[in-house]
Amino acid sequence: LRGNPFQIYNVGLHHIAFSAASRADVDALFGKLKTMGATILDAPQEYPYVPGYYALYFADPDGMKLEYVNIPS
């Protein structure tokens, strides 16, 4: 795998998601990532996957797509 760097739409692992306790937590991480100069793929917003799905997408230093998401219970 070392010769095949991560690409978002390659076959296999697409991204890793982490659960946020609230929308405020998603927004807070977005603020921290911006001050760090991180690569933001998609700013926090609602997505139509399930009602209330609120997520932020960003990349780690290796380009891996990460998601921080709040889904109301």
Side-chain angles (χ1 to χ4, degrees):
L1 292 182
R2 291 183 191 269
N4 184 18
F6 176 79
Q7 294 179 14
I8 290 175
Y9 295 109
N10 263 0
V11 173
L13 180 66
H14 179 269
H15 75 280
I16 298 173
F18 299 92
S19 180
S22 68
R23 284 180 175 228
D25 288 346
V26 175
D27 292 336
L29 179 60
F30 177 59
K32 288 179 184 179
L33 291 170
K34 284 189 343 183
T35 63
M36 293 170 47
T39 301
I40 305 297
L41 301 175
D42 293 296
Q45 61 184 299
E46 272 201 39
Y47 289 88
Y49 310 129
V50 296
Y53 194 105
Y54 188 72
L56 158 68
Y57 294 92
F58 58 102
D60 77 1
D62 292 322
M64 170 65 90
K65 183 177 182 180
L66 302 174
E67 174 184 6
Y68 196 47
V69 59
N70 173 254
I71 304 170
S73 52

